[in-house]
Amino acid sequence: VDQRLEFHLIGSMTRTVQVPRLVDHGRYERDQFATLAAEIRPSATAVMSVWAETYSHTVTESWSVGVPVIGSNLGAVAERIRKRGGGWIIDPNDAEGAYATILRVLTDEGEWERQRAAATITGLPSASLTISPRLTGPSWSAALPMKRKPPAV
């Protein structure tokens, strides 16, 4: 990776991962998510599940604070993004393609703004978010640095 992205991990992991430009915020309580998102100011949340999820609370939490989702092309994550917008779908098994897509969408001001607007939803309950980043196995999620201040929550 050419150091253009910074990743913020919110939640707990089953093992320690040493990745350049990764900030591990550790565990948090449900009511802390909006505050953490406001402090981090992510451009997007990545939900790179390698198997189909049935709902994905990570997507709900991200949209509840107006942050678009970069999600895998599997299960509910992809279905929810296809249905409402609010993000982009990638193949979690194609790291180079995923990276190229991430750079493209986060540097295209118009595209990013369209998906951010679609991701801005209100009235959602805050959901618990436990992230288990295992880069070779189950789902992982990280937030990328935000271009602008997120909407007030």
Side-chain angles (χ1 to χ4, degrees), residues 3 11 14 38 50 54 60-61 67 74 78 82 97 100 102 118 146 148:
Q3 304 296 317
T14 57
V50 295
T54 58
T60 302
E61 273 195 322
V67 177
L74 304 169
R82 281 187 192 105
I102 290 167
M146 186 168 229
R148 297 164 213 62

Side-chain angles (χ1 to χ4, degrees), residues 29-94:
E29 296 299 321
R30 177 181 301 182
D31 62 351
Q32 296 172 315
F33 183 79
T35 301
L36 286 167
E39 290 170 4
I40 296 167
R41 301 174 51 174
S43 295
T45 299
V47 183
M48 308 300 187
S49 304
V50 295
W51 61 62
E53 293 190 39
T54 58
Y55 182 72
S56 182
H57 290 291
T58 307
V59 171
T60 302
E61 273 195 322
S62 296
W63 287 349
S64 76
V65 294
V67 177
V69 174
I70 298 169
S72 66
N73 58 359
L74 304 169
V77 172
E79 290 169 13
R80 293 181 72 195
I81 293 170
R82 281 187 192 105
K83 183 176 179 178
R84 90 169 280 118
W88 306 270
I89 299 169
I90 61 162
D91 180 350
N93 297 310
D94 177 8

